[in-house]
Amino acid sequence: MNSLNPIIEKFPEIKNVESVRPLTAGLINQTYLVTTQEGTPNFILQCINHNIFKNVDLLQNNIECVTGHIRKKLEAAGEKDIDRKVLRFAVADNGKTYYFDGEKYWRACVFIEGSLTLDAVTPESSYLVGLKFGEFEAMLSDLPYQLEETIPDFHNMEFRMKQLHEAVEADVAGRMDKVRDLVAEIEKDAYDMCCAERYYREGKLPKRICHCDTKVSNMLFDKEGNVLCVIDLDTVMSSFVFSDFGDFLRSAANTGKEDDENLDNVKFNFEIFKSFAKGYIESAKCFLTPLEIELLPYAVTLFPYMQAVRFLTDYINGDTYYQIKYPEHNYVRTLAQYKLYKEAKAAVADMKEFINSLV
Ligand code: GN1
Ligand code: MG
């Protein structure tokens, strides 16, 4: 018997369970694959990180709005195979798409058979993913509800700097001696990196509904390499389009790993950038403003920068946010993301030129 069976039983749709095994992807929620006997769907069971997503009811409500809206759009467009193109969550015996066991929150999502996630993309698939994310934003542009922020100020660079400053000030883990110079170096670019927030206050830049966690591993592919659907909808909320554009390239255009210990591996893959930008602009140009387009190269630098700040903040705070595999993990992640930031920054002029050639 599996210790998760009492949880699984709360979702009547999950039948004939054969095995439950943890999946290691994701730095936030605990995820399990629940396989069932042939003929019954498998499920992805997740324990929602309640420290981070404080209001699970709001979280699941947002997700239901988003998946419901996309489903309707796909139906209206006469799409086939819709259950492979948008996620569906199981309803628990309390009538909600999550279950609270008195301590933890759980949800279950139908596993899309034959789907897989990738850690890396080719220029061909990167183009398709670009198209898909542009399409995702376009489909949600007329969502008839206001989505609440599941994590307030999630991609607000000014807020992330404030969190870094607070961490530095408190130095609870006594790690400041080690990172003081790095903090000072990162600090030098903070004003420039916070430009989106200023444009927003000046009314020059809109916010739109975005995915806000578009890393490569949050896209499902089929075995032939076709893009199926966008997953991990926890952070779908109002943001700058930079979130989706920049965060995808942060993982996809990195020739190394997010936490690469060898910084020589971390380079900016311009081919991936080109094909993603081409796909994204193709499906998003119908709603992007000239300033949004102009700032896309900035977005590519913003996300590794923001991620470096977030990892560094967590390191200084003594690793309270991200799951880590070894004590210095957040420090190593910081260096790798900061290196990627510098690589992306060196490519800004070329990115601008390429984007201009597209529009
Ligand atoms: C987290 O959910 P997951 O593990 O894909 C984080 C993202 C970071 C990412 C870095 C809610 O994403 O913002 O970019 O780690 N999600 C949250 O890998 O903080
Ligand atoms: Mg996520």
Side-chain angles (χ1 to χ4, degrees), residues 53 169 316:
F53 299 103
E169 206 47 49
I316 299 170

Side-chain angles (χ1 to χ4, degrees), residues 9 21 61 69 155 182 197 200 214 251 277 314 350 352:
E9 278 164 13
R21 68 180 170 86
N61 246 323
H69 191 74
H155 281 169
L182 180 59
E197 299 301 329
Y200 179 68
T214 53
S251 57
D314 199 36
D350 290 342
K352 282 201 165 135

Side-chain angles (χ1 to χ4, degrees), residues 25 121 127 162 166 198 206 215 295:
V121 285
Y127 167 75
K162 183 168 161 268
E166 283 164 5
R198 293 194 296 277
K215 56 185 178 187
L295 290 176

Side-chain angles (χ1 to χ4, degrees), residues 7-158:
I7 308 286
I8 295 172
E9 278 164 13
K10 299 291 173 188
F11 296 91
E13 247 186 87
I14 312 182
K15 294 192 185 81
N16 310 321
V17 174
E18 272 187 338
S19 72
V20 182
R21 68 180 170 86
L23 300 178
T24 49
L27 310 185
I28 305 293
N29 300 315
Q30 280 293 338
T31 306
Y32 304 85
L33 176 65
V34 181
T35 58
T36 61
Q37 284 167 19
E38 238 190 287
T40 28
N42 297 329
F43 283 81
I44 294 289
L45 178 73
Q46 270 191 322
C47 179
I48 303 170
N49 188 327
H50 180 42
N51 282 328
I52 293 175
F53 299 103
K54 310 259 188 241
N55 187 341
V56 174
D57 203 66
L58 177 156
L59 174 76
Q60 285 304 109
N61 246 323
N62 276 4
I63 293 179
E64 282 171 48
C65 285
V66 165
T67 51
H69 191 74
I70 293 179
R71 189 170 283 274
K72 271 195 227 143
K73 288 255 159 126
L74 294 175
E75 279 165 7
E79 282 273 352
K80 291 188 198 76
D81 240 3
I82 291 180
D83 278 329
R84 296 172 70 71
K85 293 176 181 159
V86 61
L87 297 181
R88 192 171 67 73
F89 287 81
V91 179
D93 61 4
N94 57 8
K96 294 183 177 291
T97 57
Y98 65 88
Y99 165 68
F100 181 55
D101 67 7
E103 193 192 335
K104 292 175 172 173
Y105 288 84
W106 300 86
R107 68 181 167 204
C109 174
V110 181
F111 178 74
I112 300 177
E113 269 333 298
S115 69
L116 42 100
T117 54
L118 304 175
D119 289 324
V121 285
T122 59
E124 293 73 41
S125 54
S126 164
Y127 167 75
L128 297 174
V129 176
L131 271 179
K132 195 77 180 176
F133 277 124
E135 217 179 272
F136 181 83
E137 289 174 355
M139 281 199 283
L140 293 174
S141 60
D142 62 347
L143 190 76
Y145 337 85
Q146 190 70 25
L147 288 189
E148 305 264 348
E149 294 192 338
T150 51
I151 304 178
D153 292 318
F154 190 52
H155 281 169
N156 178 337
M157 195 58 233
E158 289 175 346

Side-chain angles (χ1 to χ4, degrees), residues 116-135 214-230 248-249 251-253 269 271-280 282-283:
L116 42 100
T117 54
L118 304 175
D119 289 324
V121 285
T122 59
E124 293 73 41
S125 54
S126 164
Y127 167 75
L128 297 174
V129 176
L131 271 179
K132 195 77 180 176
F133 277 124
E135 217 179 272
T214 53
K215 56 185 178 187
V216 179
S217 53
N218 281 336
M219 181 67 86
L220 291 184
F221 293 83
D222 68 13
K223 296 200 170 90
E224 285 75 49
N226 302 308
V227 172
L228 287 175
C229 101
V230 178
F248 176 77
L249 289 168
S251 57
N269 184 331
E271 287 310 306
I272 295 290
F273 160 79
K274 282 199 315 203
S275 44
F276 180 74
K278 188 165 180 293
Y280 179 77
E282 225 169 280
S283 55

Side-chain angles (χ1 to χ4, degrees), residues 26-29 52-53 151 154-155 212-213 215 217-218 232 234-235 247 250 258 307 310-311 321-322:
L27 310 185
I28 305 293
N29 300 315
I52 293 175
F53 299 103
I151 304 178
F154 190 52
H155 281 169
C212 295
D213 193 7
K215 56 185 178 187
S217 53
N218 281 336
D232 191 357
D234 293 334
T235 51
D247 211 15
R250 181 182 70 81
E258 181 177 77
Q307 199 60 59
R310 291 177 65 192
F311 284 145
Y321 189 93
Y322 292 107

